[in-house]
Amino acid sequence: MALSKILSESLATGVGGKVLQVVSATTSSSTTNTSTSYVATSLTASITPSSASNKILVMVLGGEGDTGGNNQVMSITIYKNATTNLGNGANGTGTIYGVSSRLQNPVTTGVYDSPATTSSTDYALWIRCGNGGTVTFNANAVLATIVLMEIAG
């Protein structure tokens, strides 16, 4: 059975779920943190929703999380406007845990946000060191991308 393509033009006006705009940004810069508090990385992008009822899908693709040593924990999260942690508190949206050795893993995370505004909204990847030591985002200067998609509400 062949599948047919559904074009956004064929959807009725007012139907939720359409992608209205896509914004992306990249970085290959590294950020190091020795604190149990979150710090911003240079991976950030801004979007201006066209309606306060729309949602924003935030995706972080690529980049590298480096725990720096064994028994080190690197937590990652998405912050909105540098003030609101969209993850689960200190645990954020993901954790890289070097149980018995240093780990260098790709970083992939995301959130689905309801910003309830038509003002420009910033989203950024933040990192923290969970238990002392040093953690680094992009220690080897790989390319990381943040993608923001406005979804009709």
Side-chain angles (χ1 to χ4, degrees):
M1 178 168 134
L3 297 175
S4 59
K5 187 180 350 179
I6 299 173
L7 302 174
S8 62
E9 303 84 54
S10 65
L11 296 174
T13 303
V15 173
K18 285 185 182 180
V19 175
L20 303 175
Q21 64 172 311
V22 178
V23 176
S24 66
T26 62
T27 189
S28 56
S29 298
S30 66
T31 302
T32 299
N33 190 5
T34 58
S35 169
T36 56
S37 298
Y38 277 103
V39 298
T41 70
S42 60
L43 188 59
T44 183
S46 300
I47 194 166
T48 304
S50 58
S51 170
S53 64
N54 293 341
K55 313 291 189 221
I56 305 297
L57 177 60
V58 181
M59 297 178 288
V60 171
L61 309 166
E64 173 193 65
D66 185 345
T67 62
N70 57 314
N71 295 317
Q72 297 297 320
V73 177
M74 177 180 177
S75 297
I76 59 175
T77 197
I78 305 293
Y79 264 77
K80 177 171 59 177
N81 294 328
T83 58
T84 304
N85 178 350
L86 298 177
N88 184 19
N91 293 326
T93 58
T95 301
I96 299 168
Y97 186 28
V99 176
S100 60
S101 65
R102 174 183 182 189
L103 284 181
Q104 293 178 301
N105 284 3
V107 173
T108 302
T109 192
V111 295
Y112 192 57
D113 187 39
S114 302
T117 186
T118 56
S119 298
S120 180
T121 305
D122 301 326
Y123 293 92
L125 179 70
W126 289 46
I127 63 169
R128 70 182 280 275
C129 186
N131 60 345
T134 301
V135 296
T136 304
F137 172 69
N138 261 359
N140 293 306
V142 299
L143 187 66
T145 304
I146 186 168
V147 179
L148 310 178
M149 298 174 71
E150 182 183 5
I151 311 295

